[in-house]
Amino acid sequence: MSRQVAVIPLVRCEVCQGQGVIKGIFHVMDCAGCNGAGLIDRATNQALSLEQMVQQLRVRLNRANRQVEQQREQLERAGLVPVTGPAADYQGNNKKGAGGAHFTGD
């Protein structure tokens, strides 16, 4: 079952400056201008319902994840993906073992 969700242009809420909350003297409360989302409809300058906001953010997250995956694939094809994190310790020879052999400390 496929259902298309129309993308609504969103802008930052000016009441809370996109934070979603308003800080009082003794408390912090959700912004009434954007229902705590930090974003409003560009055309109407009104807050979206929570259901609409979830749909809009899901569409944007899915789009961003697809773009990240496409960029990762392009970098891999070009051979430019650097190995980072724990896997970097196992790449190449660190010459820390006996006679300059690879030693990881495992």
Side-chain angles (χ1 to χ4, degrees):
M1 184 165 128
S2 176
R3 187 176 83 161
Q4 295 290 334
V5 176
V7 177
I8 299 172
L10 301 175
V11 294
R12 181 178 65 144
C13 175
E14 293 300 321
V15 175
C16 64
Q17 301 299 315
Q19 297 295 313
V21 294
I22 297 175
K23 296 176 184 171
I25 295 174
F26 300 109
H27 60 280
V28 176
M29 53 191 245
D30 288 342
C31 176
C34 62
N35 290 334
L39 300 167
I40 58 174
D41 186 343
R42 175 182 287 161
T44 63
N45 284 333
Q46 297 293 317
L48 298 176
S49 69
L50 295 178
E51 293 82 15
Q52 286 178 316
M53 184 58 71
V54 168
Q55 287 179 341
Q56 293 301 312
L57 294 177
R58 179 178 40 84
V59 168
R60 285 165 172 76
L61 178 62
N62 289 340
R63 184 184 300 161
N65 284 338
R66 280 192 305 271
Q67 288 175 349
V68 166
E69 189 59 35
Q70 288 172 353
Q71 290 173 351
R72 181 178 292 122
E73 289 171 2
Q74 289 174 352
L75 289 172
E76 286 175 357
R77 275 186 259 127
L80 299 174
V81 177
V83 177
T84 60
D89 295 337
Y90 296 92
Q91 302 296 320
N93 188 351
N94 62 12
K95 298 183 180 181
K96 292 183 179 178
H102 186 73
F103 178 73
T104 61
D106 291 345

